[in-house]
Amino acid sequence: METIEIGTSGIIASRIALGTWAIGGWMWGGSTDIGESVHTIRSAIARGITLIDTAPVYGFGRSESIVGMALSGGLRERAVIATKGGLEWRDGKIWRNSSPARIRKEVEESLRRLGTDYIDLYQVHWPDPLVPIHETAATLAALLKEGKIRAIGVSNYSAAQMAQFRQAAPIHSVQPPYNLFEREAEVDVLPYAAQHDIAVLCYGALCRGLLAGTITAATRFKGDDLRRKDPKFQEPRFSQYLAAVAALDRYARERYGLTVLALAVRWVLGQGNTIALWGARRPAQLDPVNDALGWKLDDEAKRRIDQILLQIVKDPIGPEFMAPPQRGDAGALPASLAA
Ligand code: NAP
């Protein structure tokens, strides 16, 4: 496994991290089996994946509880637990809330569910326009001092928001959406992170499964699966993205003897101090992990990839549909539409 320090925290983590949103059984088409989920997390650790990313909102506590279960019995010390705070839910709706009181309450609940007395990396899930950033930052700085958390992260923050935050607390990591198809973070988040020694946890490294290469035009998503609303999965875009995946897969096989999945993860790992978040809920999904490790894409490959995307994806779109509303927003989305 390749490893990296999370900013200047002194914490060393694997560069591939396990994403446990689907394990929470919310917005990924229904409830997951607890035994299989526990097995997936333990299988990740056995493969050298030490960073486990979760959040209270992933199944409203369920993902965190399953992570706690999986790490009980001696694995806690081997894992770097990354969880989040700053989203609130009631009656099936979620809102942003990064107030000091909310963060304090969430940290205690996360510690209880995770069965631990410290969180390695605590991340503000989404910026909250109703709470001054320095108040949220000061709360995290206090939690760091108290030893309840070992490092501070933000997620879905812009560079300007990070700059404000850093006036009251250090930032060790940022978590933006970032993958071959979703590159908005290149505008200011990645450069800011590089400049200030901040690790980048890239979420959606497989673009919600598209870049795993197994989704076809015949794939149907069930129940509350977010891809039923994701604009990338609706025509006419869906066909364009599938055609791009097929072309990237052909290129990966010809040039490296690997699949598009390995190419996509390796591409993320080649973009600086990055960590690729890989969402999995079955142990076998992690079988290709080693294919993404120990090699580099050269400039020619990067150019070819960009050419393929430019030629095929005529109408690109980002992951903005996932942004949760602020409190009191008349348009507040039901939980099944926001994450
Ligand atoms: P992702 O990692 O881009 O993709 C997950 C999808 O990939 C799932 O559909 C899964 O299939 C599929 N997959 C995984 N391994 C596969 C394999 N070997 N073969 C075929 N398909 C495979 O999606 P993500 O969950 O959106 O992102 C990863 C993590 O990032 C999340 O779990 C979460 O921890 C974090 N995240 C954070 C935020 C935030 O706001 N901070 C937002 C989104 C995600 P199945 O559907 O069959 O399981």
Side-chain angles (χ1 to χ4, degrees):
M1 179 52 65
E2 294 171 33
T3 57
I4 191 171
E5 181 176 354
I6 300 183
T8 54
S9 69
I11 299 173
I12 305 296
S14 56
R15 292 196 71 202
I16 293 183
L18 177 69
T20 63
W21 180 5
I23 278 176
W26 169 66
M27 292 184 68
W28 287 87
S31 190
T32 43
D33 179 77
I34 291 186
E36 189 162 53
S37 301
V38 165
H39 193 27
T40 305
I41 296 162
R42 291 185 176 161
S43 159
I45 302 267
R47 295 169 201 262
I49 297 176
T50 56
L51 182 53
I52 313 292
D53 183 76
T54 181
V57 77
Y58 298 163
F60 310 113
R62 188 176 161 91
S63 172
E64 282 191 333
S65 298
I66 292 175
V67 171
M69 240 180 262
L71 298 181
S72 65
L75 289 180
R76 169 66 187 97
E77 299 307 319
R78 282 171 64 186
V80 174
I81 300 178
T83 193
K84 313 185 188 81
L87 289 181
E88 185 180 11
W89 59 86
R90 202 176 335 113
D91 302 331
K93 293 188 178 176
I94 68 170
W95 296 270
R96 306 180 192 207
N97 185 351
S98 303
S99 64
R102 175 71 192 169
I103 297 280
R104 283 271 172 196
K105 182 173 182 287
E106 287 201 85
V107 165
E108 293 308 323
E109 289 172 354
S110 291
L111 287 169
R112 181 178 49 75
R113 285 191 290 256
L114 291 162
T116 185
D117 53 11
Y118 65 94
I119 290 162
D120 297 285
L121 175 61
Y122 197 76
Q123 306 158 99
V124 184
H125 207 146
W126 283 85
D128 179 352
L130 300 183
V131 176
I133 282 183
H134 67 86
E135 287 186 16
T136 307
T139 308
L140 267 72
L143 287 162
L144 187 70
K145 215 166 158 195
E146 291 161 28
K148 293 196 172 184
I149 66 175
R150 292 177 63 213
I152 296 175
V154 292
S155 179
N156 300 299
Y157 267 50
S158 67
Q161 288 164 333
M162 286 195 274
Q164 276 184 47
F165 191 103
R166 286 179 60 253
Q167 288 174 13
I171 293 182
H172 301 108
S173 72
V174 60
Q175 188 174 141
Y178 190 53
N179 58 60
L180 272 173
F181 291 146
E182 295 171 339
R183 309 240 193 129
E184 185 65 21
E186 286 170 4
V187 175
D188 66 345
V189 174
L190 261 62
Y192 187 88
Q195 201 184 345
H196 297 284
D197 223 345
I198 294 170
V200 186
L201 277 67
C202 307
Y203 76 72
L206 302 177
C207 200
R208 298 173 288 291
L210 258 182
L211 287 163
T214 49
I215 291 173
T216 70
T219 304
R220 294 286 170 268
F221 301 103
K222 295 190 212 114
D224 69 347
D225 197 306
L226 77 166
R227 289 165 295 190
R228 294 177 73 175
K229 309 269 171 12
D230 187 333
K232 275 200 187 56
F233 291 76
Q234 321 301 323
E235 293 299 352
R237 288 193 180 98
F238 192 34
S239 295
Q240 292 174 26
Y241 281 105
L242 287 178
V245 170
L248 291 170
D249 193 56
R250 273 194 302 278
Y251 180 68
R253 285 174 197 275
E254 280 162 21
R255 177 82 201 275
Y256 297 107
L258 293 168
T259 66
V260 60
L261 185 152
L263 188 82
V265 175
R266 190 67 240 173
W267 182 89
V268 165
L269 295 180
Q271 306 297 315
N273 292 336
T274 49
I275 293 174
L277 290 181
W278 182 323
R281 48 181 149 186
R282 291 184 293 281
Q285 289 176 316
L286 298 173
D287 285 348
V289 159
N290 284 336
D291 292 345
L293 297 171
W295 61 283
K296 285 195 166 102
L297 289 162
D298 57 25
D299 288 345
E300 188 203 319
K302 288 184 189 169
R303 264 196 307 275
R304 182 72 196 114
I305 288 170
D306 288 349
Q307 239 173 23
I308 290 173
L309 299 182
L310 213 60
Q311 277 166 5
I312 304 183
V313 184
K314 294 289 173 209
D315 194 13
I317 189 155
E320 300 78 23
F321 78 102
M322 288 202 281
Q326 63 186 55
R327 270 163 294 148
D329 191 335
L333 298 175
S336 61
L337 294 184

